[in-house]
Amino acid sequence: MKTSEEETGMKKATAQDIRERLAALRDAMREEGVDYLIIPTADFHNSEYVADYFRERQYFSGFSGSAGTLVVSQNYAALWTDGRYWVQAENEMKDTGVVLMRQGAPEVMSILDFLVSNMIPGQTLGFDGRCIPYAKGKEYKDALKKKGIQIAAKKDIGDKAWKKRPSLPCHKLFLLGEEYCGESCTDKLTRLRAVMQKKGTQYYVTSKLDDICWLTNLRGRDVPENPVALCHMLVTMDTAHLFLQEKEWTDETLAYAQKSGINAHPYDEFGVFLKDYMFNGNVLMDPSEVSYRIYSIVKKNIKTTSFGIVNADSPVALMKAVKNETEQKNIRDIYLEDSAAVCRFIYWLTHEADIENITELDAAKYLDNLRSKINGYIELSFGTIAAYGTNAAMMHYDPAKQTPAKLERKGMLLVDSGGTYFRGTTDVTRTTALGPVTDDMKKSYTLTAAGNLGLENAVFIDGCCGRNLDILAREPLWKVGSDYKCGTGHGIGFVLNVHEGPHGIRWRFAGEAAETKIVPGMIVSDEPGVYKEGEYGIRIETILLCVPAFETADGTFYKFDPLTFVPLDRTLLDKRYLTDEQIREVNEYHALCRKKLLPFFTDQTMRSWLMEQTEEL
Amino acid sequence: MKTSEEETGMKKATAQDIRERLAALRDAMREEGVDYLIIPTADFHNSEYVADYFRERQYFSGFSGSAGTLVVSQNYAALWTDGRYWVQAENEMKDTGVVLMRQGAPEVMSILDFLVSNMIPGQTLGFDGRCIPYAKGKEYKDALKKKGIQIAAKKDIGDKAWKKRPSLPCHKLFLLGEEYCGESCTDKLTRLRAVMQKKGTQYYVTSKLDDICWLTNLRGRDVPENPVALCHMLVTMDTAHLFLQEKEWTDETLAYAQKSGINAHPYDEFGVFLKDYMFNGNVLMDPSEVSYRIYSIVKKNIKTTSFGIVNADSPVALMKAVKNETEQKNIRDIYLEDSAAVCRFIYWLTHEADIENITELDAAKYLDNLRSKINGYIELSFGTIAAYGTNAAMMHYDPAKQTPAKLERKGMLLVDSGGTYFRGTTDVTRTTALGPVTDDMKKSYTLTAAGNLGLENAVFIDGCCGRNLDILAREPLWKVGSDYKCGTGHGIGFVLNVHEGPHGIRWRFAGEAAETKIVPGMIVSDEPGVYKEGEYGIRIETILLCVPAFETADGTFYKFDPLTFVPLDRTLLDKRYLTDEQIREVNEYHALCRKKLLPFFTDQTMRSWLMEQTEEL
């Protein structure tokens, strides 16, 4: 699904190209009377991943990483990006004149502080109001207003200076039948309206792609590896308005939408429609999700009435996170098939592959090919990460983006991968020994496994959120002074984005959203790891489904069912680092893998392999 | 230290008394033009425990529990209290005409909702603005203003109708020498001023008793079992003003205060002083702690200047929570002596006491007497809870408040107790078998011990707060569907309140305060339990001191040192419910108890007992 970078010509930019592009951009800024311009990495929907059409920040900076914000004035340009990308950004922006701001480093100012320090009264800050959520835009506006600085958010100034801009992605929609998703669009809208009413609102405005796709049972292909369509939506108590490029509709999807009471409108008419809409009640919006432009339009429209805006987290995010029975059944099924493919891959890797003559990318392709043969396969849920040796210490390593490393018969290969199928979206990581490993590797792997199983075997009372549970995955690693610098787990969409909120498993406070309680029907990843820079990286990721445990006089308790059934690597497990309880948990998980996967292997080779791998420790 | 209830005549009230008192109160309300009156359980300092002078709510309702709020109108009176007190409140308020509002029950309105529903435009709500924190008072004011309801917060209307009101407590101050507390008042003020400056403020206004006592190294006896004096304070960048009843000063304390740059003022002149004070900068206050009256005075005073109020959690609370080296050394020492006393008590209980002929109260007195002989003993840190059999299932059971139960040679006795000494404040709970126990009791005790040791043995990265750690204490209990309905741990003052913030160990979100990270120098209790109504109650409470563990490439890690060394009850521990790791943890703790306490026992009896109790399982 990914549009290759060569096609759009984005990768070919030299430092000279960037300097010329910035010069053209500055001309456009002068014409518009904008002194400083913010260019984020964002589409109109606050999506995690964006299509090439939206890679304006890359076009003007040369930096191709997935996260970063460019700020340009007439005589200065700087790019903020986080620690994952400092090396890459420095290389890609060499000689372009763009200064790298190492976001998160103690000496580096935030963008807002930078603007407050450098802009002077009477100046104007510009950004495309469609690409910045309202909450963020308002933060800029409020802070700069005090200094007498104006905001210009109505134009995409970069567009004027962008030669050969890729076109807006536009792919045909498809319908996710109710045999897969288990609930009609009509019923979902009814549930949503009940929440709207409970919050005292009569309208819901959203631009969140996966929320809208979930609500309508429609799917698209407009974002690489996320099966969503570019769209916006207004839901009222008796109508629903969906804004979508007209060419994306098929007869089937249009019929389904109409039957569900949805009115189709052109994608680019959302703002105009809202501007003139007669709101007759309060409007529910999530200011951290709806764009500055759209939110402002609604705010202005409603100002003259006695109604108002109710700010709240997206109610759809929570509805979507709790999978229904049909979805759960489909997910359980597809994870078995997906796990079987991963097992076949591991068998190939450890028994058949010509290790010395293949690269990380070859390994990834072998696995991708196995997945593509699974019934109902749509696409990968993200680009397969196959990271060998020291590469695995980089959490976001992508072998397709650099020269892939050659494999050797020693050390470990980390493979993080998943597929999008009609029966669900998968995600799994296993780390596999390719030959001799050090005792330290075994220790790290074993303690990672202990943490992974610690969370998998959690029992917890109703009300717990990810912050309460996270330590179960980390404690074995913390006890030896090891910590992974990321969350332990994320939600996963159903034939939607592989990363999905509102819940998650992490220990740090990250706003109210991170406080979402984990309830039956929610899916979370369980992926502790050890990352030793310059040495190796280990991650074990099993996907868990929250299910009821029991009810007692003291309350209602929940637990997790694993969905992933890929045995741990026995050659990397060292009993010396496990308690008897942890050994029992390994054996229990392996017994489950054996029971669940054996029916999928008809060939004696794989059956024998599975039996061996799931022997008691 | 506790003023007996008989002395103040508060316990003798009959239903008829209460009806007469309410009639007199309603007369006073009419005179003042107040339609509804709120009477909380509070002093002027938002203290957890209050002296009899402040028990106005009890005087007018008859309900003697420690938490509850009375609301009175001309033809209605209702008392809100939580589940701990429903039975007691119903008994005590029988025939008084006061309606019990079961706070927390789903059908029961909050006080605010009740007022909003029942009051009509033009009416006036009264409360003593000194007894309600600003944040709470403002919530009432804002919500009622919309309905056209006035607030009258300047008078203590109940005082007019209260016959024979106990006098305001007034006891001599004493100084906690720097050999105990380790830091001079001058140095503490310097540190506080640095925090004030960092927050852009030049003034700090506080009424928090233990904060002020910590800051000044003064201690008092005005609150039962909390060694604090009634006082208020204003700290500026170069002066400090302490408002305290003049009779409380001694020559020594006054000299110390003056030497530390503190100006002494009469207790009741705080408001007047602030009203006329020339504020020349911003004022730091904690609106959830400073009273409605005081906060409003400052707000009104500062309104005409270009300065403002900065709302923030008390900076002193955090400074006070992190014990310095001298305090830590003293605390470690006193906990050993205190633990030795508890061991002697347990020995007496299990070997010497005439069990069939004593009550819970006799047991408590025996322990209290042992404590009183420890060098530097000041008072109990709270009334000893000795709860036998089914009584132990009530978390807040106080044998002194009802007919104490007789002990028997079966089941368990839960004893939660502590002392205030010059070298620190202690708190410890052990549950002891008095004879045969059921297998279910053993199972519950053993899993409680596993949870207690799970938290005690935690290793965690810098940044963790109580919400991250709580599950370590609960997981063994949750795995069998058991849960205790309270936090796992609280901070403890140094020769101050036995309950102290801002940190704590609990799993539920409870505002920003509960997010305080646990850092070296902090003390927390570790007290999981099992409470089976009508059957039994178990609690094991060990006090922990946070200390550095190690620094690695991945971060700074902390762990806990136990301060309490009282062996667990071996007759209640059942290895069948423990993992090998948990058995190791029990043995490790017992080895520490043996090593630490043996030097305190010179008599062979206690030495042998300790050796037996700390044998490996």
Side-chain angles (χ1 to χ4, degrees):
Chain A
M1 276 313 297
K2 204 180 259 180
T3 315
S4 95
E5 280 155 344
E6 281 68 24
E7 276 172 49
T8 62
M10 294 186 67
K11 198 156 193 173
K12 288 176 202 144
T14 63
Q16 178 60 25
D17 291 339
I18 299 299
R19 286 197 302 274
E20 285 168 13
R21 289 172 186 179
L22 283 171
L25 181 65
R26 284 171 173 135
D27 289 344
M29 285 167 62
R30 271 197 306 277
E31 276 169 38
E32 297 292 341
V34 161
D35 302 287
Y36 280 74
L37 182 67
I38 301 178
I39 306 182
T41 304
D43 61 8
F44 307 151
H45 309 275
N46 198 26
S47 301
E48 186 179 1
Y49 301 101
V50 302
D52 284 344
Y53 176 83
F54 296 104
R55 308 184 98 177
E56 195 167 302
R57 188 263 298 146
Q58 177 178 348
Y59 180 82
F60 288 109
S61 68
F63 167 59
S64 68
S66 74
T69 301
L70 179 67
V71 175
V72 181
S73 72
Q74 286 301 323
N75 47 28
Y76 192 79
L79 178 114
W80 276 256
T81 190
D82 65 72
R84 292 173 293 169
Y85 292 114
W86 294 343
V87 176
Q88 180 185 341
E90 198 153 43
N91 288 336
E92 292 181 342
M93 301 194 307
K94 202 175 170 222
D95 299 327
T96 59
V98 182
V99 175
L100 171 62
M101 300 296 245
R102 292 177 169 74
Q103 197 175 330
E107 73 281 8
V108 172
M109 275 197 267
S110 70
I111 294 172
L112 182 55
D113 287 344
F114 172 86
L115 294 172
V116 168
S117 302
N118 286 281
M119 291 187 75
I120 56 175
Q123 285 193 323
T124 297
L125 171 71
F127 55 79
D128 184 347
R130 298 172 301 176
C131 293
I132 288 192
Y134 180 74
K136 176 60 82 181
K138 188 170 185 301
E139 199 187 325
Y140 287 135
K141 189 181 172 183
D142 290 348
L144 294 170
K145 200 179 166 183
K146 290 182 195 160
K147 277 201 72 178
I149 292 158
Q150 304 293 316
I151 300 287
K154 290 196 178 157
K155 287 191 180 166
D156 177 7
I157 294 171
D159 188 62
K160 291 177 76 174
W162 190 343
K163 289 180 196 157
K164 295 190 196 164
R165 183 174 194 164
S167 55
L168 195 67
C170 182
H171 300 86
K172 289 289 179 201
L173 295 175
F174 62 99
L175 183 67
L176 195 67
E178 286 165 32
E179 69 275 26
Y180 297 116
C181 69
E183 187 180 15
S184 70
C185 168
T186 310
D187 288 350
K188 288 178 179 180
L189 284 170
T190 303
R191 281 209 286 145
L192 171 60
R193 285 172 180 134
V195 180
M196 287 160 58
Q197 196 151 33
K198 210 170 158 184
K199 291 186 184 285
T201 57
Q202 288 72 44
Y203 300 92
Y204 180 56
V205 169
T206 177
S207 294
K208 201 87 188 345
L209 303 184
D210 58 340
D211 280 6
I212 299 173
C213 287
W214 176 84
L215 202 53
T216 57
N217 294 339
L218 300 175
R219 295 295 186 271
R221 309 289 289 252
D222 292 341
V223 177
E225 286 147 3
N226 291 168
V228 295
L230 295 175
C231 57
H232 305 280
M233 198 168 190
L234 166 68
V235 179
T236 78
M237 295 316 280
D238 47 14
T239 60
H241 303 273
L242 181 60
F243 297 78
L244 207 138
Q245 294 176 82
E246 286 166 287
K247 285 185 187 161
E248 298 205 355
W249 289 105
T250 62
D251 292 346
E252 186 197 23
T253 52
L254 191 61
Y256 183 81
Q258 285 171 338
K259 192 195 75 181
S260 309
I262 289 172
N263 302 307
H265 302 264
Y267 178 62
D268 52 7
E269 288 185 9
F270 191 47
V272 177
F273 184 86
L274 290 176
K275 203 174 147 196
D276 298 327
Y277 193 79
M278 292 281 287
F279 286 106
N280 223 331
N282 296 318
V283 184
L284 183 66
M285 286 194 286
D286 182 344
S288 64
E289 174 252 297
V290 175
S291 75
Y292 186 84
R293 175 88 51 95
I294 292 300
Y295 191 102
S296 300
I297 286 172
V298 175
K299 200 176 160 197
K300 199 173 168 190
N301 180 343
I302 215 164
K303 211 169 57 180
T304 53
T305 72
S306 57
F307 301 110
I309 293 171
V310 173
N311 292 321
D313 290 341
S314 155
V316 178
L318 190 60
M319 291 164 72
K320 166 170 115 267
V322 180
K323 273 54 180 172
N324 63 38
E325 277 182 30
T326 306
E327 288 171 328
Q328 287 183 36
K329 192 199 162 297
N330 284 322
I331 292 166
R332 285 183 189 270
D333 286 351
I334 196 63
Y335 267 85
L336 293 178
E337 293 192 43
D338 193 79
S339 295
V342 176
C343 287
R344 285 184 198 281
F345 166 72
I346 292 173
Y347 179 81
W348 168 79
L349 193 67
T350 50
H351 291 77
E352 299 177 338
D354 182 10
I355 289 293
E356 274 104 355
N357 291 305
I358 62 169
T359 65
E360 295 164 331
L361 203 52
D362 298 323
K365 282 181 178 164
Y366 190 90
L367 175 57
D368 296 351
N369 183 50
L370 286 170
R371 270 208 173 88
S372 71
K373 292 176 183 158
I374 293 174
N375 184 25
Y377 173 82
I378 298 171
E379 61 182 331
L380 296 181
S381 59
F382 59 99
T384 298
I385 297 170
Y388 177 64
T390 56
N391 287 344
M394 290 179 264
M395 261 182 237
H396 295 263
Y397 179 73
D398 179 351
K401 287 268 172 72
Q402 32 253 305
T403 310
K406 287 187 170 178
L407 304 189
E408 294 180 62
R409 289 214 179 273
K410 63 175 186 183
M412 300 172 289
L413 179 70
L414 181 159
V415 180
D416 187 351
S417 64
T420 300
Y421 311 87
F422 277 92
R423 283 171 291 159
T425 303
T426 68
D427 186 5
V428 53
T429 310
R430 285 295 183 269
T431 304
T432 305
L434 298 186
V437 289
T438 65
D439 186 61
D440 184 55
M441 290 175 186
K442 284 188 182 179
K443 184 179 174 186
S444 293
Y445 184 91
T446 306
L447 295 176
T448 301
N452 172 270
L453 291 164
L455 178 59
E456 185 176 312
N457 286 281
V459 176
F460 52 99
I461 200 163
D462 176 64
C464 279
C465 64
R467 293 192 67 210
N468 301 125
L469 304 178
D470 186 274
I471 198 169
L472 299 177
R474 279 181 215 266
E475 191 60 0
L477 294 165
W478 280 357
K479 284 200 169 169
V480 298
S482 179
D483 181 54
Y484 46 98
K485 301 300 173 189
C486 57
T488 296
H490 55 81
I492 298 176
F494 181 78
V495 199
L496 281 173
N497 303 356
V498 74
H499 291 167
E500 175 182 282
H503 62 295
I505 310 280
R506 52 179 80 85
W507 67 270
R508 285 184 192 276
F509 184 69
E512 287 297 323
E515 299 296 323
T516 307
K517 70 180 192 176
I518 309 286
V519 295
M522 279 186 177
I523 285 172
V524 285
S525 70
D526 168 12
E527 43 182 318
V530 172
Y531 305 91
K532 291 207 174 180
E533 209 184 316
E535 295 185 51
Y536 59 83
I538 289 162
R539 178 161 65 252
I540 300 174
E541 178 187 25
T542 295
I543 309 306
L544 309 175
L545 170 67
C546 179
V547 297
F550 34 71
E551 301 225 8
T552 72
D554 287 341
T556 302
F557 293 82
Y558 307 135
K559 61 178 182 167
F560 291 118
D561 275 357
L563 297 175
T564 312
F565 294 102
V566 180
L568 304 178
D569 190 327
R570 302 175 71 80
T571 62
L572 286 165
L573 284 173
D574 188 333
K575 276 172 77 168
R576 288 180 301 157
Y577 303 115
L578 294 174
T579 65
D580 67 340
E581 174 68 6
Q582 288 162 346
I583 292 172
R584 198 191 58 71
E585 290 176 346
V586 171
N587 290 336
E588 200 176 77
Y589 178 66
H590 278 166
L592 269 177
C593 290
R594 179 185 289 192
K595 187 180 149 198
K596 299 276 186 181
L597 286 200
L598 213 48
F600 288 84
F601 298 131
T602 48
D603 51 321
Q604 197 49 50
T605 315
M606 282 308 296
R607 290 179 72 86
S608 306
W609 177 85
L610 183 63
M611 295 300 283
E612 271 166 37
Q613 300 305 310
T614 54
E615 282 282 307
E616 291 219 336
L617 278 194
Chain B
M1 276 311 297
K2 202 180 261 182
T3 315
S4 93
E5 280 156 343
E6 280 69 24
E7 276 173 48
T8 62
M10 294 184 69
K11 198 157 189 173
K12 287 177 202 144
T14 62
Q16 178 60 26
D17 290 338
I18 298 300
R19 287 197 302 272
E20 285 168 14
R21 290 171 187 180
L22 284 171
L25 181 65
R26 284 170 173 138
D27 289 345
M29 285 167 63
R30 271 196 306 276
E31 276 170 39
E32 298 292 340
V34 161
D35 302 287
Y36 279 75
L37 182 67
I38 301 179
I39 306 183
T41 304
D43 62 8
F44 307 151
H45 309 274
N46 198 25
S47 301
E48 185 179 1
Y49 301 101
V50 302
D52 284 343
Y53 175 82
F54 296 103
R55 309 185 98 177
E56 196 166 300
R57 187 264 297 145
Q58 178 178 348
Y59 180 82
F60 288 109
S61 68
F63 167 57
S64 68
S66 74
T69 301
L70 179 66
V71 174
V72 180
S73 73
Q74 285 301 323
N75 47 28
Y76 193 77
L79 179 114
W80 276 257
T81 191
D82 65 70
R84 293 174 292 170
Y85 292 115
W86 293 344
V87 176
Q88 181 186 340
E90 199 154 42
N91 288 336
E92 292 181 342
M93 302 195 307
K94 200 174 170 224
D95 300 326
T96 59
V98 182
V99 174
L100 171 62
M101 299 295 246
R102 290 178 169 75
Q103 197 174 329
E107 73 282 6
V108 172
M109 275 197 266
S110 71
I111 294 173
L112 182 55
D113 287 344
F114 171 85
L115 294 172
V116 168
S117 303
N118 286 282
M119 291 186 75
I120 56 175
Q123 284 193 322
T124 297
L125 171 71
F127 55 80
D128 183 347
R130 299 172 300 176
C131 292
I132 287 192
Y134 180 73
K136 176 59 82 183
K138 189 169 184 302
E139 199 187 324
Y140 286 136
K141 190 181 171 183
D142 291 349
L144 293 171
K145 202 178 165 183
K146 290 182 197 160
K147 276 201 70 176
I149 292 159
Q150 304 293 316
I151 299 287
K154 290 196 178 156
K155 288 193 179 163
D156 177 7
I157 294 171
D159 188 62
K160 290 177 78 172
W162 190 343
K163 287 180 197 157
K164 294 191 197 164
R165 182 174 193 163
S167 55
L168 197 67
C170 182
H171 300 85
K172 288 290 178 200
L173 295 175
F174 62 100
L175 183 66
L176 195 68
E178 286 165 30
E179 69 275 26
Y180 297 116
C181 68
E183 187 179 15
S184 69
C185 169
T186 310
D187 288 351
K188 289 178 178 178
L189 284 170
T190 303
R191 281 208 286 144
L192 172 61
R193 285 174 179 132
V195 180
M196 287 160 57
Q197 196 150 35
K198 210 169 158 186
K199 291 187 184 283
T201 57
Q202 288 72 44
Y203 300 92
Y204 180 55
V205 170
T206 177
S207 294
K208 200 87 189 344
L209 303 184
D210 58 341
D211 280 7
I212 300 173
C213 287
W214 176 84
L215 202 54
T216 57
N217 294 339
L218 300 175
R219 295 295 186 273
R221 311 288 290 255
D222 293 340
V223 178
E225 286 147 5
N226 290 169
V228 295
L230 295 176
C231 58
H232 305 279
M233 199 168 189
L234 167 69
V235 179
T236 79
M237 296 316 280
D238 48 14
T239 60
H241 303 273
L242 181 60
F243 296 78
L244 206 139
Q245 293 177 82
E246 286 167 288
K247 285 186 187 161
E248 298 204 356
W249 289 105
T250 63
D251 292 346
E252 186 197 23
T253 52
L254 191 61
Y256 184 80
Q258 284 171 340
K259 195 195 74 180
S260 309
I262 289 172
N263 301 307
H265 301 264
Y267 178 63
D268 53 7
E269 288 185 10
F270 192 48
V272 178
F273 184 87
L274 290 176
K275 202 174 149 198
D276 299 327
Y277 193 80
M278 293 280 286
F279 286 105
N280 223 331
N282 297 319
V283 184
L284 184 66
M285 288 194 284
D286 183 343
S288 65
E289 176 251 298
V290 175
S291 74
Y292 185 84
R293 175 88 51 95
I294 293 299
Y295 192 102
S296 300
I297 287 172
V298 175
K299 199 175 162 198
K300 199 172 167 190
N301 180 343
I302 216 164
K303 212 169 57 181
T304 54
T305 72
S306 57
F307 301 110
I309 293 171
V310 173
N311 293 322
D313 290 342
S314 155
V316 177
L318 190 59
M319 294 165 71
K320 167 170 116 269
V322 179
K323 272 55 179 172
N324 64 38
E325 279 184 25
T326 307
E327 287 171 328
Q328 286 183 38
K329 192 199 161 297
N330 284 323
I331 292 166
R332 285 183 188 270
D333 286 351
I334 197 64
Y335 268 85
L336 292 178
E337 294 192 43
D338 193 79
S339 294
V342 176
C343 287
R344 285 183 200 281
F345 166 72
I346 292 173
Y347 179 81
W348 169 80
L349 193 66
T350 49
H351 291 76
E352 298 177 339
D354 182 11
I355 290 293
E356 274 105 354
N357 290 306
I358 62 170
T359 67
E360 294 164 331
L361 201 55
D362 297 323
K365 282 182 178 164
Y366 190 92
L367 175 57
D368 296 351
N369 183 50
L370 286 170
R371 271 206 173 87
S372 71
K373 291 175 185 159
I374 293 174
N375 185 24
Y377 173 81
I378 297 172
E379 62 182 332
L380 296 181
S381 59
F382 58 99
T384 298
I385 298 170
Y388 177 65
T390 56
N391 288 343
M394 291 179 264
M395 262 181 236
H396 294 265
Y397 180 73
D398 180 350
K401 286 267 172 75
Q402 33 251 305
T403 310
K406 288 188 169 176
L407 305 188
E408 294 179 62
R409 289 212 178 277
K410 64 176 186 183
M412 300 173 290
L413 179 70
L414 181 160
V415 180
D416 188 350
S417 65
T420 301
Y421 311 87
F422 276 92
R423 285 172 289 159
T425 303
T426 67
D427 187 6
V428 52
T429 309
R430 286 295 182 268
T431 304
T432 305
L434 300 186
V437 289
T438 65
D439 186 62
D440 184 56
M441 290 175 186
K442 284 188 181 182
K443 183 178 176 188
S444 292
Y445 183 91
T446 305
L447 295 175
T448 300
N452 171 272
L453 291 164
L455 178 60
E456 185 176 312
N457 286 282
V459 176
F460 53 100
I461 201 161
D462 175 63
C464 280
C465 63
R467 292 191 68 209
N468 300 125
L469 304 178
D470 186 273
I471 198 170
L472 299 177
R474 280 182 213 265
E475 191 60 359
L477 294 165
W478 280 356
K479 283 198 168 171
V480 298
S482 179
D483 181 52
Y484 45 99
K485 301 300 172 191
C486 57
T488 296
H490 56 81
I492 298 177
F494 182 78
V495 197
L496 281 173
N497 303 357
V498 73
H499 291 165
E500 175 182 282
H503 62 294
I505 309 280
R506 53 178 81 85
W507 68 269
R508 285 183 193 278
F509 184 69
E512 287 298 321
E515 298 296 321
T516 307
K517 70 181 192 175
I518 308 286
V519 295
M522 278 185 178
I523 285 173
V524 284
S525 68
D526 169 11
E527 43 182 318
V530 172
Y531 305 92
K532 290 208 175 180
E533 210 185 314
E535 295 186 48
Y536 60 83
I538 290 163
R539 180 160 66 249
I540 300 175
E541 178 186 27
T542 294
I543 308 306
L544 308 175
L545 171 66
C546 179
V547 297
F550 35 71
E551 302 224 7
T552 72
D554 287 340
T556 303
F557 293 82
Y558 307 135
K559 60 178 183 169
F560 292 118
D561 276 355
L563 298 174
T564 312
F565 294 103
V566 180
L568 303 178
D569 191 327
R570 302 175 72 80
T571 61
L572 286 165
L573 284 173
D574 188 333
K575 278 171 77 168
R576 285 181 303 157
Y577 304 115
L578 295 174
T579 65
D580 67 340
E581 175 68 6
Q582 289 163 344
I583 292 172
R584 197 191 60 70
E585 289 177 347
V586 171
N587 290 335
E588 200 176 77
Y589 178 67
H590 279 165
L592 269 178
C593 290
R594 180 186 289 193
K595 186 180 149 196
K596 299 278 187 182
L597 285 199
L598 213 49
F600 288 85
F601 297 131
T602 47
D603 51 321
Q604 198 48 51
T605 314
M606 282 308 297
R607 290 178 74 85
S608 306
W609 178 85
L610 183 63
M611 296 299 284
E612 273 167 35
Q613 300 305 311
T614 55
E615 284 280 310
E616 291 217 338
L617 278 195

